[in-house]
Amino acid sequence: MKIKNVNEIDITGKKVLIRCDLNVPIKNGIIQSDARILASLPTIELALRKKAKVIIMSHLGRPKNECYEKKYSLLPIFEYFKKKINYTKVYFSNDFSNILPIKTGELLILENVRFNSGELKNDEILSKKYSNLCDIFIMDAFGSAHRKQASTYGIGKFVNIACAGLLFMSEINNLKKALKNPKRPMVSIVGGAKVSTKFNILNKLCNISDTVVVGGGIANTFLAINYNIGKSLHEPTFISKAKTLINKYNNIIIPIDSRIGKNFSQNEPSIIKLPSKIQKNEEIMDFGDESIKKVVKIIEKAKTIIWNGPVGVFEFPNFRKGTETIAKAIANNTSFSIAGGGDTLSVIDMFSIKNKISYISTGGGAFLEFIEGKKLPAIHMLEKHFSH
């Protein structure tokens, strides 16, 4: 994989358009977590220091029909940047086709790209319009690298120079470190709701890891091979595929006991049960204590850890223990650990372990597809520019 990075290109005095991933949770106009913004800052500040004319664009949420919706506006992010980057002028434009010229060392933030007609369909006309905004395009939104959209992929066809930002390069380098000649034992923890969305990644991780721990709805689908698991979240149509994985690999760890409840609610009390004892009106919502102990022992010995997803309904206090204990065990292991995925980031925030994870990926789907070995469209686009 050969791609140019921003440090290899002279951007001084140039108009640079940076595609960031500023898709942060916003509630009533207030940013709930600025993790993705902070991850994007190094590239933006580098461009400002080098006296480029800096324009940034990003998506936020999933607005309907590519139309303006106030709750998905980047205005709160503009307000954030005004305070954070208070040493230069910061502007905002809700119309990318009619922007005011900015001076070197100044910053312009464009409104949500998903308000633009043709963004999601990778429309060529829109891609060309984006390219007309800049001399150099910097792709720094690793979290959107797996999407073939106008602002992440299509623009590459029309710009003269495209390169990767600092965050994008950091993501790739750290993922490669975890995947190529990892220190062993290598342990992967995969949680989340669906086996179907993570079947290929599980297959890949089972192949390269010494141990793969499954949690959440994924683990329930594995448990459903041999047990009646009541009304637990699982995928009946994927039980046979889960069975093929269990038969193919002997390194998959599934829970030996679970915390169950009768109602999916905040204050539901938890009871620990063996999978064989679960009733029709009960559902698995977390690991039991024996499962937790078993997994913690595995994590303590690990030299490389890949972590994607919580192992239970960590939002509910009574079903948090599994995710919390495992998260803290990963944090306390001083070997190389890499974590990614939206819910994983929420867990890291909740238990304040950010500084104890070696690398936190901003990518969800992109993180998984890269690990799976898929060629991400944005990387393909940047490779083409390298060979020009």
Side-chain angles (χ1 to χ4, degrees), residues 24 75 239 269:
V24 296
L75 259 175
I239 293 170

Side-chain angles (χ1 to χ4, degrees), residues 117-371:
S117 180
E119 165 64 23
L120 299 179
K121 293 192 179 105
N122 189 33
D123 180 75
E124 285 215 345
I125 295 166
L126 179 63
S127 301
K128 197 166 195 313
K129 283 179 182 173
Y130 288 156
S131 74
N132 291 335
L133 297 172
C134 64
D135 303 311
I136 297 161
F137 173 62
I138 302 171
M139 177 58 180
D140 210 28
F142 182 78
S144 299
H146 60 314
R147 303 192 188 283
K148 256 191 179 176
Q149 294 172 355
S151 68
T152 59
Y153 178 82
I155 183 174
K157 187 175 175 180
F158 302 102
V159 288
N160 291 325
I161 301 169
C163 64
L166 302 176
L167 172 63
F168 201 94
M169 291 308 300
S170 180
E171 293 273 4
I172 290 170
N173 293 335
N174 277 286
L175 281 165
K176 278 184 177 173
K177 185 178 173 182
L179 297 172
K180 289 192 175 179
N181 302 319
K183 288 188 176 173
R184 300 208 173 262
M186 175 179 171
V187 176
S188 297
I189 297 110
V190 184
K194 295 180 175 180
V195 173
S196 55
T197 57
K198 294 185 181 177
F199 181 78
N200 292 335
I201 186 84
L202 279 170
N203 207 357
K204 170 81 177 192
L205 288 173
C206 287
N207 209 8
I208 63 171
S209 308
D210 295 285
T211 310
V212 175
V213 177
V214 291
I218 294 173
N220 296 346
T221 303
F222 280 97
L223 285 170
I225 296 168
N226 296 315
Y227 303 103
N228 184 338
I229 54 166
K231 55 179 185 176
S232 305
L233 172 71
H234 71 295
E235 291 177 285
T237 55
F238 255 79
I239 293 170
S240 61
K241 283 210 168 183
K243 197 172 181 179
T244 60
L245 279 180
I246 284 278
N247 291 339
K248 187 177 175 184
Y249 301 103
N250 61 1
N251 58 349
I252 301 172
I253 302 291
I254 60 174
I256 47 178
D257 61 345
S258 305
R259 278 185 165 74
I260 61 99
K262 290 181 180 173
N263 300 295
F264 190 82
S265 68
Q266 182 78 19
N267 300 313
E268 179 69 11
S270 70
I271 305 163
I272 297 175
K273 283 194 169 187
L274 297 172
S276 57
K277 305 289 184 190
I278 293 166
Q279 304 298 307
K280 279 184 183 175
N281 63 338
E282 294 173 335
E283 59 183 308
I284 299 167
M285 290 200 269
D286 191 15
F287 278 11
D289 288 350
E290 292 307 311
S291 301
I292 294 170
K293 276 183 211 162
K294 185 177 178 181
V295 173
V296 166
K297 276 182 187 168
I298 291 165
I299 291 168
E300 283 170 350
K301 291 174 187 160
K303 292 283 183 267
T304 303
I305 300 167
I306 293 179
W307 172 30
N308 174 261
V311 300
V313 189
F314 69 98
E315 300 90 341
F316 297 168
N318 295 335
F319 299 96
R320 186 173 292 162
K321 190 176 178 182
T323 300
E324 180 174 7
T325 313
I326 287 166
K328 287 179 176 174
I330 296 166
N332 291 332
N333 183 317
T334 53
S335 303
F336 182 74
S337 55
I338 185 162
D343 282 342
T344 317
L345 303 186
S346 302
V347 171
I348 288 166
D349 280 348
M350 181 180 274
F351 304 125
S352 305
I353 54 172
K354 186 179 174 181
N355 298 331
K356 290 185 158 189
I357 306 292
S358 310
Y359 189 76
I360 298 168
S361 174
T362 56
F367 170 83
L368 294 174
E369 287 190 19
F370 190 94
I371 291 172

